[in-house]
Amino acid sequence: SLYELAGVFTNLAAGFMGAKWGIKWTLISGLTLQLLAYGLLFGWKDDWNKTQSIIYVTVAQMFAGIAKDLTKLGGKTVTKLVTPEEQETRLFKLVSLITGWKNSLKGVGYFLGSALISVSYSLALGVMMGLIVVAMPWAILGLDSQLGTAKKANAKWHDVFKLDNKRLNLLSLARLFLFASRDFWFEVPLPFFLRSPSCQGLGTAMCTVNEECNNGAMCNLALQVCQNINAGGGCGGLGLDRVVVGAILGGYIILYGQVQSWTPQLATGPLQQTPPNKY
């Protein structure tokens, strides 16, 4: 998705930005762009066709992807800055902990968003924007503007694309396929499957109220037949409620975030070495 693609390019550029202007400004830029992404979603129109809807949401996702990686840069960079070079194991544990809890918090956001949107679309966006506004003063007033700036000459683009580290290149390639596979099954197909109604009776079963239709379907009062809630949507799924789907996806993200935070214990023990890349 454009969300992940924007994140890839942001990761490349954010390091240079942080080294030049400091972590404080990359963090503030990330939070501001996240507000922009949410603000764009307030412009959604129900009468748009499928193409217009996909383009608009994809552009909003792009800004959210940039914002995510600008914000994430700060947490991981500060951890590196405050950890002495000879304490690689401590750094490994801290980064794993931050990454894991970041993803777990994202899972909480999944559940919170799905619960709020069932009440009101605008309420869901407003609450998310409010949480960012609450965090803004800490970034503006609590961080030194020189934090993270390069003390020596900044790295060049050709330093980033050096291909002489085989292990790093293999790890980067593996991550590319890992994130691509996640998008292929988790980001779009799984939510559609969980929300789509069963095909049984869809378009043929007679009804007078929504309760007479399968989960995920509604009664077309004009035709008095059950149909998909989303016009043009498919069928063959579980037809779960939006809040239940959010809880399932959020629970999965929280779980894998916690597994990430346990990585030091899971990796260093079987490898019998600390840090895990010692040999």
Side-chain angles (χ1 to χ4, degrees), residues 18-19 22-27 69-85 90-91 94-95 98 138-139 142-149:
I23 298 302
K24 175 179 180 177
W25 297 111
T26 57
L27 178 57
D69 281 286
L70 284 174
T71 305
K72 187 170 68 175
L73 170 74
K76 293 187 176 181
T77 303
V78 170
T79 306
K80 172 69 173 176
L81 292 173
V82 300
T83 305
E85 290 188 8
R90 184 185 177 193
L91 177 62
L94 283 173
V95 171
I98 289 173
W138 298 90
L143 293 177
D144 188 335
S145 58
Q146 296 302 309
L147 181 65
T149 54

Side-chain angles (χ1 to χ4, degrees), residues 113-134:
S114 63
L116 289 172
I117 203 171
S118 65
V119 178
S120 168
Y121 176 76
S122 297
L123 175 65
L125 292 177
V127 169
M128 296 299 180
M129 293 181 76
L131 291 173
I132 296 172
V133 170
V134 169

Side-chain angles (χ1 to χ4, degrees), residues 261-275:
S261 68
W262 300 331
T263 299
Q265 292 83 353
L266 296 173
T268 57
L271 291 175
Q272 297 182 343
Q273 54 174 291
T274 301

